Coordinates of all heavy atoms in Angstrom, one line a residue:
V1 N 6.8 15.9 21.9 CA 5.4 15.9 22.3 C 5.3 16.6 23.7 O 4.3 17.3 23.9 CB 4.9 14.5 22.4 CG1 3.5 14.5 23.0 CG2 4.8 13.9 21.0
N2 N 6.2 16.4 24.6 CA 6.1 16.9 25.9 C 6.1 18.4 25.9 O 5.5 19.0 26.8 CB 7.3 16.4 26.8 CG 7.2 15.0 27.1 OD1 6.0 14.5 27.2 ND2 8.2 14.3 27.3
G3 N 6.8 19.1 25.0 CA 7.0 20.6 25.0 C 5.9 21.3 24.3 O 5.9 22.6 24.3
V4 N 5.1 20.7 23.5 CA 4.2 21.5 22.7 C 3.2 22.4 23.5 O 2.9 23.5 23.0 CB 3.4 20.5 21.7 CG1 2.3 19.8 22.5 CG2 2.7 21.3 20.6
G5 N 2.8 21.9 24.6 CA 2.0 22.8 25.4 C 2.7 24.1 25.9 O 2.1 25.2 25.9
K6 N 4.0 23.9 26.2 CA 4.8 25.0 26.7 C 5.0 26.0 25.5 O 4.9 27.3 25.7 CB 6.1 24.6 27.2 CG 6.0 23.8 28.5 CD 7.3 23.3 29.0 CE 7.2 22.4 30.2 NZ 8.4 21.9 30.7
I7 N 5.2 25.5 24.3 CA 5.4 26.3 23.1 C 4.2 27.1 22.8 O 4.3 28.3 22.6 CB 5.9 25.5 22.0 CG1 7.4 24.9 22.2 CG2 5.8 26.2 20.7 CD1 7.8 23.9 21.2
K8 N 3.1 26.4 22.8 CA 1.8 27.1 22.5 C 1.4 28.1 23.5 O 0.9 29.1 23.2 CB 0.7 26.0 22.3 CG 0.8 25.2 21.1 CD -0.4 24.3 20.9 CE -1.0 24.3 19.6 NZ -1.1 25.4 18.7
H9 N 1.8 27.9 24.8 CA 1.5 28.9 25.8 C 2.4 30.1 25.7 O 2.0 31.2 25.8 CB 1.8 28.2 27.2 CG 1.5 29.2 28.3 ND1 0.2 29.6 28.7 CD2 2.4 29.8 29.2 CE1 0.3 30.4 29.7 NE2 1.6 30.6 30.0
R10 N 3.7 29.9 25.4 CA 4.7 31.0 25.3 C 4.5 31.7 24.0 O 4.7 33.0 23.9 CB 6.1 30.5 25.5 CG 7.1 31.5 25.5 CD 8.4 31.1 26.1 NE 9.3 32.2 26.1 CZ 10.6 32.1 26.2 NH1 11.1 30.9 26.4 NH2 11.4 33.1 26.2
F11 N 4.3 31.0 22.8 CA 4.2 31.6 21.5 C 2.8 31.3 21.0 O 2.6 30.4 20.3 CB 5.3 31.1 20.6 CG 6.7 31.2 21.1 CD1 7.4 30.1 21.8 CD2 7.4 32.4 21.0 CE1 8.6 30.3 22.2 CE2 8.7 32.6 21.5 CZ 9.3 31.5 22.1
R12 N 1.9 32.1 21.3 CA 0.5 31.9 21.1 C 0.2 31.7 19.6 O -0.8 31.0 19.2 CB -0.4 33.0 21.6 CG -0.2 33.1 23.1 CD -1.5 33.2 23.8 NE -1.3 33.4 25.2 CZ -1.4 32.5 26.1 NH1 -1.8 31.3 25.8 NH2 -1.2 32.8 27.4
D13 N 1.0 32.4 18.7 CA 0.7 32.3 17.3 C 1.5 31.1 16.6 O 1.5 31.0 15.4 CB 1.1 33.6 16.6 CG 0.2 34.7 17.0 OD1 -1.0 34.4 17.4 OD2 0.6 35.9 16.9
A14 N 2.3 30.3 17.4 CA 3.1 29.3 16.9 C 2.2 28.2 16.1 O 1.1 27.9 16.6 CB 3.9 28.6 17.9
V15 N 2.7 27.7 15.0 CA 2.0 26.6 14.3 C 2.9 25.3 14.6 O 4.1 25.4 14.3 CB 2.0 26.9 12.8 CG1 1.4 25.7 12.0 CG2 1.1 28.2 12.5
T16 N 2.3 24.4 15.1 CA 3.0 23.2 15.5 C 2.8 22.0 14.5 O 1.6 21.8 14.1 CB 2.7 22.8 17.0 OG1 1.3 22.5 17.0 CG2 3.1 23.8 18.0
I17 N 3.8 21.3 14.3 CA 3.8 20.1 13.4 C 4.4 19.0 14.1 O 5.5 19.0 14.5 CB 4.6 20.4 12.0 CG1 4.0 21.6 11.4 CG2 4.4 19.2 11.1 CD1 4.9 22.2 10.2
F18 N 3.7 17.8 14.2 CA 4.2 16.6 14.8 C 4.5 15.7 13.5 O 3.6 15.4 12.7 CB 3.1 15.9 15.6 CG 3.6 14.6 16.1 CD1 4.7 14.5 16.9 CD2 2.9 13.4 15.8 CE1 5.1 13.2 17.4 CE2 3.3 12.2 16.3 CZ 4.4 12.1 17.1
I19 N 5.8 15.4 13.4 CA 6.2 14.5 12.4 C 6.3 13.1 13.0 O 7.1 12.8 13.8 CB 7.6 14.8 11.7 CG1 7.4 16.3 11.1 CG2 8.0 13.8 10.7 CD1 8.7 16.8 10.6
S20 N 5.3 12.3 12.6 CA 5.1 11.0 13.2 C 5.9 9.9 12.5 O 6.0 9.9 11.2 CB 3.6 10.6 13.1 OG 3.4 9.3 13.4
P21 N 6.4 8.9 13.2 CA 7.0 7.8 12.5 C 5.9 7.0 11.7 O 4.7 7.1 12.1 CB 7.6 7.0 13.6 CG 6.9 7.4 14.8 CD 6.5 8.7 14.6
P22 N 6.3 6.2 10.8 CA 5.3 5.4 10.1 C 4.5 4.5 11.1 O 5.0 4.2 12.1 CB 6.1 4.4 9.2 CG 7.4 5.1 9.0 CD 7.6 5.9 10.3
I23 N 3.2 4.4 10.8 CA 2.3 3.7 11.6 C 2.6 2.2 11.6 O 2.8 1.7 10.6 CB 0.8 4.0 11.2 CG1 0.5 5.4 11.4 CG2 -0.1 3.1 12.0 CD1 -0.8 5.8 10.8
V24 N 2.7 1.6 12.7 CA 3.0 0.2 12.9 C 1.8 -0.5 13.5 O 1.4 -0.1 14.6 CB 4.3 0.0 13.8 CG1 4.5 -1.5 14.0 CG2 5.5 0.6 13.3
E25 N 1.3 -1.4 12.7 CA 0.1 -2.1 13.2 C 0.6 -3.5 13.8 O 1.7 -4.0 13.3 CB -0.8 -2.4 12.0 CG -1.4 -1.2 11.4 CD -2.3 -0.4 12.3 OE1 -2.9 -1.0 13.2 OE2 -2.5 0.8 12.1
N26 N -0.1 -4.0 14.7 CA 0.3 -5.3 15.3 C 0.5 -6.4 14.2 O 1.4 -7.2 14.3 CB -0.7 -5.8 16.3 CG -0.7 -5.0 17.6 OD1 0.4 -4.3 17.9 ND2 -1.7 -5.0 18.4
G27 N -0.3 -6.3 13.1 CA -0.1 -7.3 12.1 C 1.1 -7.1 11.3 O 1.4 -8.0 10.5
D28 N 1.8 -6.0 11.4 CA 3.0 -5.8 10.6 C 4.2 -6.6 11.2 O 5.2 -6.7 10.6 CB 3.4 -4.3 10.6 CG 2.4 -3.5 9.8 OD1 1.6 -4.1 9.0 OD2 2.3 -2.2 10.0
I29 N 4.0 -7.1 12.4 CA 5.1 -7.8 13.0 C 4.7 -9.3 13.0 O 3.7 -9.7 13.6 CB 5.4 -7.4 14.5 CG1 5.7 -5.9 14.5 CG2 6.4 -8.2 15.2 CD1 5.7 -5.3 15.9
P30 N 5.6 -10.2 12.4 CA 5.2 -11.6 12.4 C 5.0 -12.2 13.7 O 5.7 -11.8 14.6 CB 6.4 -12.2 11.6 CG 7.0 -11.1 10.8 CD 6.8 -9.9 11.7
E31 N 4.1 -13.1 13.9 CA 3.8 -13.7 15.1 C 5.0 -14.4 15.8 O 5.1 -14.3 17.0 CB 2.6 -14.7 15.0 CG 1.3 -14.0 14.9 CD 0.1 -15.0 14.8 OE1 0.2 -16.0 15.6 OE2 -0.8 -14.7 14.1
N32 N 5.8 -15.0 14.9 CA 6.9 -15.8 15.5 C 8.1 -15.0 15.7 O 9.2 -15.5 16.1 CB 7.2 -17.0 14.6 CG 7.6 -16.5 13.1 OD1 7.5 -15.4 12.8 ND2 8.1 -17.5 12.4
E33 N 8.1 -13.6 15.4 CA 9.2 -12.8 15.6 C 9.3 -12.3 17.0 O 8.3 -11.9 17.6 CB 9.1 -11.6 14.6 CG 10.4 -10.7 14.7 CD 10.4 -9.5 13.7 OE1 9.9 -9.8 12.6 OE2 10.7 -8.4 14.0
F34 N 10.5 -12.4 17.6 CA 10.7 -11.9 18.9 C 10.8 -10.4 19.0 O 11.5 -9.8 18.2 CB 12.0 -12.5 19.5 CG 12.4 -11.9 20.8 CD1 11.7 -12.4 22.0 CD2 13.4 -11.0 21.0 CE1 12.1 -11.9 23.2 CE2 13.8 -10.5 22.2 CZ 13.1 -11.0 23.3
I35 N 10.0 -9.9 19.9 CA 10.0 -8.4 20.1 C 10.7 -8.1 21.4 O 10.2 -8.5 22.5 CB 8.6 -7.8 20.2 CG1 7.9 -8.1 18.8 CG2 8.6 -6.3 20.5 CD1 6.4 -7.7 18.9
G36 N 11.9 -7.6 21.3 CA 12.7 -7.2 22.4 C 12.1 -6.1 23.3 O 11.2 -5.4 22.8
E37 N 12.7 -6.0 24.5 CA 12.2 -4.9 25.3 C 12.3 -3.5 24.7 O 11.4 -2.7 24.8 CB 13.0 -4.8 26.6 CG 12.4 -5.7 27.7 CD 13.2 -5.6 29.0 OE1 13.5 -4.4 29.4 OE2 13.5 -6.6 29.6
E38 N 13.4 -3.2 24.0 CA 13.6 -2.0 23.3 C 12.5 -1.7 22.3 O 12.0 -0.6 22.2 CB 15.0 -1.8 22.8 CG 15.3 -0.5 22.2 CD 15.4 0.6 23.2 OE1 15.4 0.4 24.4 OE2 15.3 1.8 22.8
T39 N 12.3 -2.7 21.5 CA 11.3 -2.5 20.4 C 9.9 -2.3 21.1 O 9.1 -1.5 20.6 CB 11.2 -3.8 19.5 OG1 12.5 -4.0 18.9 CG2 10.2 -3.6 18.4
E40 N 9.6 -3.1 22.1 CA 8.3 -2.9 22.8 C 8.2 -1.5 23.4 O 7.1 -0.9 23.3 CB 8.1 -4.0 23.9 CG 6.8 -4.1 24.4 CD 6.6 -5.3 25.3 OE1 7.2 -6.3 25.1 OE2 5.8 -5.1 26.3
R41 N 9.3 -1.0 24.0 CA 9.3 0.3 24.6 C 9.0 1.4 23.5 O 8.2 2.3 23.7 CB 10.6 0.6 25.3 CG 10.7 1.9 26.0 CD 12.1 2.2 26.6 NE 13.0 2.5 25.5 CZ 13.2 3.6 25.0 NH1 12.4 4.6 25.3 NH2 14.1 3.8 24.1
K42 N 9.7 1.2 22.4 CA 9.5 2.2 21.2 C 8.1 2.2 20.8 O 7.5 3.2 20.4 CB 10.4 1.9 20.1 CG 11.9 2.3 20.5 CD 12.8 2.0 19.3 CE 14.3 2.3 19.6 NZ 15.2 1.9 18.5
L43 N 7.5 1.0 20.6 CA 6.1 0.9 20.2 C 5.2 1.6 21.2 O 4.2 2.3 20.8 CB 5.7 -0.6 20.0 CG 6.3 -1.3 18.8 CD1 5.9 -2.8 18.8 CD2 5.8 -0.6 17.5
C44 N 5.4 1.5 22.5 CA 4.6 2.1 23.5 C 4.7 3.6 23.4 O 3.8 4.4 23.5 CB 5.0 1.6 24.9 SG 4.4 0.0 25.3
I45 N 5.9 4.1 23.2 CA 6.2 5.5 23.0 C 5.4 6.0 21.8 O 4.8 7.0 21.8 CB 7.7 5.9 22.9 CG1 8.3 5.6 24.2 CG2 7.9 7.3 22.4 CD1 9.9 5.7 24.2
K46 N 5.5 5.3 20.7 CA 4.8 5.7 19.4 C 3.3 5.8 19.7 O 2.6 6.7 19.3 CB 5.1 4.7 18.3 CG 6.4 4.9 17.6 CD 6.5 3.9 16.5 CE 7.9 3.9 15.9 NZ 8.0 2.9 14.8
E47 N 2.7 4.8 20.4 CA 1.3 4.8 20.7 C 0.9 6.0 21.5 O 0.0 6.7 21.2 CB 1.0 3.5 21.4 CG -0.5 3.4 21.8 CD -0.8 2.1 22.5 OE1 -0.3 1.0 22.1 OE2 -1.6 2.1 23.3
W48 N 1.7 6.4 22.5 CA 1.5 7.5 23.3 C 1.6 8.8 22.5 O 0.7 9.7 22.6 CB 2.5 7.6 24.5 CG 2.3 8.8 25.3 CD1 1.3 9.0 26.3 CD2 3.1 10.0 25.4 NE1 1.5 10.2 26.9 CE2 2.6 10.8 26.3 CE3 4.2 10.4 24.6 CZ2 3.0 12.1 26.6 CZ3 4.7 11.7 24.9 CH2 4.1 12.5 25.8
E49 N 2.6 8.9 21.6 CA 2.7 10.1 20.8 C 1.6 10.2 19.9 O 1.0 11.3 19.6 CB 4.1 10.0 20.0 CG 5.2 10.2 20.8 CD 6.5 10.0 20.1 OE1 6.5 9.4 19.0 OE2 7.6 10.5 20.6
F50 N 1.1 9.1 19.3 CA -0.1 9.2 18.4 C -1.3 9.7 19.2 O -2.1 10.5 18.7 CB -0.4 7.8 17.8 CG 0.5 7.4 16.7 CD1 1.2 6.2 16.7 CD2 0.8 8.3 15.6 CE1 2.0 5.8 15.7 CE2 1.6 7.9 14.6 CZ 2.2 6.7 14.6
E51 N -1.5 9.3 20.4 CA -2.6 9.7 21.2 C -2.5 11.2 21.5 O -3.5 11.9 21.7 CB -2.7 8.9 22.5 CG -3.1 7.5 22.3 CD -3.0 6.6 23.5 OE1 -2.6 7.1 24.6 OE2 -3.3 5.4 23.4
E52 N -1.3 11.7 21.6 CA -1.1 13.1 22.0 C -1.0 14.0 20.7 O -0.9 15.2 20.8 CB 0.3 13.3 22.8 CG 0.2 12.6 24.2 CD -0.9 13.1 25.0 OE1 -1.1 14.3 25.1 OE2 -1.7 12.2 25.6
G53 N -1.1 13.4 19.5 CA -1.0 14.2 18.3 C -2.0 15.3 18.2 O -1.8 16.3 17.5
H54 N -3.1 15.1 18.8 CA -4.2 16.2 18.8 C -3.8 17.5 19.3 O -4.4 18.5 19.1 CB -5.5 15.7 19.5 CG -5.3 15.6 21.0 ND1 -4.7 14.6 21.6 CD2 -5.7 16.5 21.9 CE1 -4.7 14.8 22.9 NE2 -5.3 16.0 23.1
L55 N -2.7 17.5 20.1 CA -2.2 18.8 20.7 C -1.5 19.7 19.6 O -1.2 20.8 19.8 CB -1.2 18.4 21.8 CG -1.7 17.7 23.0 CD1 -0.6 17.3 23.9 CD2 -2.8 18.5 23.7
F56 N -1.1 19.0 18.5 CA -0.4 19.8 17.4 C -1.5 20.3 16.5 O -2.6 19.7 16.3 CB 0.6 18.8 16.7 CG 1.7 18.4 17.6 CD1 1.6 17.5 18.6 CD2 2.9 19.1 17.4 CE1 2.6 17.1 19.3 CE2 4.0 18.7 18.2 CZ 3.9 17.8 19.2
D57 N -1.0 21.4 15.7 CA -1.9 21.9 14.7 C -2.0 21.0 13.5 O -3.0 20.9 12.8 CB -1.4 23.3 14.3 CG -1.4 24.3 15.4 OD1 -2.5 24.4 16.0 OD2 -0.4 24.9 15.6
Y58 N -0.8 20.3 13.2 CA -0.7 19.4 12.0 C 0.0 18.1 12.5 O 0.9 18.2 13.3 CB 0.1 20.1 10.9 CG -0.6 21.3 10.3 CD1 -0.3 22.6 10.9 CD2 -1.5 21.2 9.3 CE1 -0.9 23.7 10.3 CE2 -2.1 22.3 8.7 CZ -1.8 23.6 9.3 OH -2.4 24.7 8.8
V59 N -0.4 17.0 11.9 CA 0.4 15.8 12.0 C 0.7 15.3 10.6 O -0.1 15.1 9.8 CB -0.5 14.7 12.8 CG1 0.3 13.4 12.9 CG2 -0.8 15.2 14.2
V60 N 2.0 15.0 10.4 CA 2.5 14.5 9.1 C 3.2 13.1 9.4 O 4.1 13.0 10.2 CB 3.5 15.4 8.5 CG1 4.1 14.8 7.2 CG2 2.9 16.8 8.2
V61 N 2.7 12.1 8.8 CA 3.2 10.8 9.0 C 4.4 10.6 8.0 O 4.3 10.8 6.8 CB 2.2 9.6 8.7 CG1 2.8 8.3 8.9 CG2 1.0 9.8 9.7
N62 N 5.6 10.3 8.5 CA 6.7 10.2 7.7 C 6.9 8.8 7.1 O 7.7 8.0 7.5 CB 8.0 10.5 8.7 CG 9.3 10.6 7.9 OD1 9.3 10.7 6.6 ND2 10.4 10.6 8.6
E63 N 6.1 8.6 6.0 CA 6.2 7.4 5.3 C 7.3 7.4 4.3 O 7.9 6.4 3.9 CB 4.9 7.1 4.6 CG 3.7 6.8 5.5 CD 3.8 5.4 6.2 OE1 4.6 4.6 5.8 OE2 3.0 5.2 7.2
N64 N 7.6 8.6 3.8 CA 8.6 8.8 2.7 C 9.2 10.2 3.0 O 8.5 11.2 3.0 CB 7.9 8.8 1.3 CG 8.8 9.2 0.2 OD1 9.1 10.3 0.1 ND2 9.2 8.1 -0.5
V65 N 10.6 10.3 3.0 CA 11.2 11.5 3.3 C 10.8 12.7 2.4 O 10.5 13.8 2.9 CB 12.7 11.4 3.4 CG1 13.4 12.7 3.6 CG2 13.1 10.4 4.5
E66 N 10.8 12.4 1.1 CA 10.6 13.5 0.1 C 9.1 14.0 0.3 O 8.9 15.2 0.3 CB 10.8 13.0 -1.3 CG 12.2 12.8 -1.7 CD 12.7 11.4 -1.2 OE1 11.9 10.5 -0.8 OE2 14.0 11.2 -1.2
T67 N 8.2 13.1 0.5 CA 6.8 13.5 0.6 C 6.6 14.3 1.9 O 5.9 15.3 2.0 CB 5.9 12.3 0.6 OG1 6.1 11.6 -0.6 CG2 4.4 12.6 0.7
T68 N 7.3 13.9 3.0 CA 7.2 14.5 4.2 C 7.7 15.9 4.2 O 7.0 16.8 4.7 CB 7.9 13.8 5.3 OG1 7.3 12.4 5.4 CG2 7.8 14.4 6.7
V69 N 8.8 16.1 3.5 CA 9.4 17.4 3.4 C 8.5 18.3 2.6 O 8.2 19.5 3.0 CB 10.8 17.4 2.7 CG1 11.3 18.7 2.3 CG2 11.8 16.7 3.6
M70 N 7.9 17.8 1.5 CA 6.9 18.6 0.7 C 5.7 19.0 1.6 O 5.3 20.1 1.5 CB 6.5 17.7 -0.5 CG 5.7 18.5 -1.5 SD 5.3 17.5 -3.0 CE 4.2 16.3 -2.3
K71 N 5.2 18.1 2.3 CA 4.0 18.4 3.2 C 4.3 19.5 4.2 O 3.6 20.4 4.5 CB 3.5 17.1 3.8 CG 2.8 16.2 2.9 CD 2.3 15.0 3.6 CE 1.6 13.9 2.6 NZ 1.2 12.8 3.3
V72 N 5.4 19.3 4.9 CA 5.9 20.2 5.9 C 6.1 21.6 5.3 O 5.7 22.6 5.8 CB 7.1 19.8 6.7 CG1 7.7 20.8 7.6 CG2 6.7 18.6 7.5
T73 N 6.7 21.6 4.1 CA 7.0 22.9 3.4 C 5.7 23.6 3.1 O 5.5 24.8 3.2 CB 7.8 22.7 2.1 OG1 9.1 22.1 2.5 CG2 8.1 23.9 1.4
E74 N 4.7 22.8 2.6 CA 3.4 23.4 2.2 C 2.7 24.0 3.5 O 2.1 25.0 3.4 CB 2.5 22.2 1.6 CG 2.9 21.9 0.3 CD 2.1 20.7 -0.3 OE1 1.2 20.2 0.5 OE2 2.3 20.2 -1.4
I75 N 2.8 23.3 4.6 CA 2.2 23.8 5.9 C 2.9 25.1 6.3 O 2.2 26.0 6.6 CB 2.4 22.7 7.0 CG1 1.5 21.5 6.7 CG2 2.0 23.3 8.4 CD1 1.8 20.3 7.6
I76 N 4.2 25.1 6.2 CA 4.9 26.3 6.6 C 4.5 27.5 5.6 O 4.2 28.6 6.2 CB 6.5 26.1 6.6 CG1 6.8 25.1 7.7 CG2 7.2 27.4 6.8 CD1 8.2 24.6 7.7
L77 N 4.6 27.2 4.4 CA 4.3 28.3 3.4 C 2.8 28.8 3.6 O 2.5 30.0 3.4 CB 4.6 27.9 2.0 CG 6.1 27.6 1.7 CD1 6.3 27.1 0.3 CD2 6.9 28.9 1.9
G78 N 2.0 27.9 3.9 CA 0.6 28.2 4.0 C 0.3 29.0 5.3 O -0.9 29.5 5.5
N79 N 1.2 29.0 6.2 CA 1.0 29.7 7.5 C 1.9 31.0 7.7 O 2.0 31.5 8.8 CB 1.2 28.7 8.6 CG 0.1 27.8 8.8 OD1 -1.0 28.1 9.4 ND2 0.2 26.6 8.2
L80 N 2.5 31.4 6.6 CA 3.3 32.6 6.7 C 2.5 33.8 6.7 O 1.4 33.9 6.3 CB 4.3 32.7 5.5 CG 5.4 31.7 5.5 CD1 6.2 31.9 4.2 CD2 6.3 31.8 6.7

Protein backbone atom coordinates (compact mmCIF):
# COMPACT_ATOMS: atom_id res chain seq x y z
CA VAL A 1 0.00 0.00 0.00
CA ASN A 2 2.79 2.43 0.88
CA GLY A 3 4.42 2.29 -2.55
CA VAL A 4 1.43 2.57 -4.87
CA GLY A 5 1.72 6.35 -5.13
CA LYS A 6 5.38 6.09 -6.09
CA ILE A 7 4.62 3.40 -8.69
CA LYS A 8 1.80 5.43 -10.24
CA HIS A 9 4.02 8.53 -10.31
CA ARG A 10 6.95 6.75 -11.95
CA PHE A 11 4.97 4.46 -14.28
CA ARG A 12 1.96 6.52 -15.31
CA ASP A 13 0.37 3.69 -17.33
CA ALA A 14 0.73 1.13 -14.54
CA VAL A 15 -2.38 -0.80 -13.54
CA THR A 16 -2.38 -1.46 -9.81
CA ILE A 17 -4.13 -4.31 -8.03
CA PHE A 18 -4.53 -4.55 -4.27
CA ILE A 19 -5.04 -8.15 -3.15
CA SER A 20 -6.84 -7.79 0.13
CA PRO A 21 -7.02 -10.38 2.88
CA PRO A 22 -10.51 -11.68 3.63
CA ILE A 23 -12.67 -9.10 5.37
CA VAL A 24 -12.84 -9.61 9.12
CA GLU A 25 -15.85 -8.19 10.87
CA ASN A 26 -15.91 -7.67 14.62
CA GLY A 27 -18.70 -10.23 14.81
CA ASP A 28 -16.42 -12.88 13.32
CA ILE A 29 -14.40 -13.02 16.54
CA PRO A 30 -16.23 -14.60 19.50
CA GLU A 31 -16.66 -12.19 22.42
CA ASN A 32 -14.97 -14.51 24.89
CA GLU A 33 -11.93 -15.10 22.64
CA PHE A 34 -8.74 -13.35 23.70
CA ILE A 35 -7.31 -11.12 21.01
CA GLY A 36 -3.58 -10.77 21.48
CA GLU A 37 -1.55 -7.70 20.63
CA GLU A 38 -0.32 -9.22 17.38
CA THR A 39 -3.84 -10.04 16.19
CA GLU A 40 -5.04 -6.57 17.15
CA ARG A 41 -2.10 -5.01 15.29
CA LYS A 42 -2.89 -7.06 12.18
CA LEU A 43 -6.55 -6.02 12.32
CA CYS A 44 -5.50 -2.35 12.53
CA ILE A 45 -3.19 -2.79 9.55
CA LYS A 46 -5.99 -4.46 7.56
CA GLU A 47 -8.37 -1.63 8.41
CA TRP A 48 -5.80 0.95 7.25
CA GLU A 49 -5.15 -1.01 4.03
CA PHE A 50 -8.88 -1.18 3.27
CA GLU A 51 -9.11 2.58 3.74
CA GLU A 52 -6.20 3.07 1.32
CA GLY A 53 -7.60 0.63 -1.25
CA HIS A 54 -9.03 3.52 -3.28
CA LEU A 55 -5.47 4.35 -4.37
CA PHE A 56 -5.41 1.19 -6.48
CA ASP A 57 -7.09 0.68 -9.83
CA TYR A 58 -8.52 -2.65 -8.66
CA VAL A 59 -9.13 -4.34 -5.32
CA VAL A 60 -9.51 -8.13 -5.18
CA VAL A 61 -10.54 -9.73 -1.89
CA ASN A 62 -8.66 -13.01 -1.45
CA GLU A 63 -11.47 -15.21 -0.15
CA ASN A 64 -10.37 -18.17 -2.28
CA VAL A 65 -6.99 -18.61 -3.99
CA GLU A 66 -8.34 -20.05 -7.25
CA THR A 67 -10.97 -17.32 -7.60
CA THR A 68 -8.44 -14.61 -6.75
CA VAL A 69 -6.00 -15.88 -9.39
CA MET A 70 -8.81 -15.96 -11.95
CA LYS A 71 -9.87 -12.37 -11.14
CA VAL A 72 -6.30 -11.04 -11.23
CA THR A 73 -5.68 -12.84 -14.53
CA GLU A 74 -8.83 -11.28 -15.99
CA ILE A 75 -7.70 -7.82 -14.87
CA ILE A 76 -4.24 -8.28 -16.37
CA LEU A 77 -5.53 -9.66 -19.67
CA GLY A 78 -8.14 -6.90 -19.85
CA ASN A 79 -5.43 -4.25 -19.53
CA LEU A 80 -2.92 -5.50 -22.10
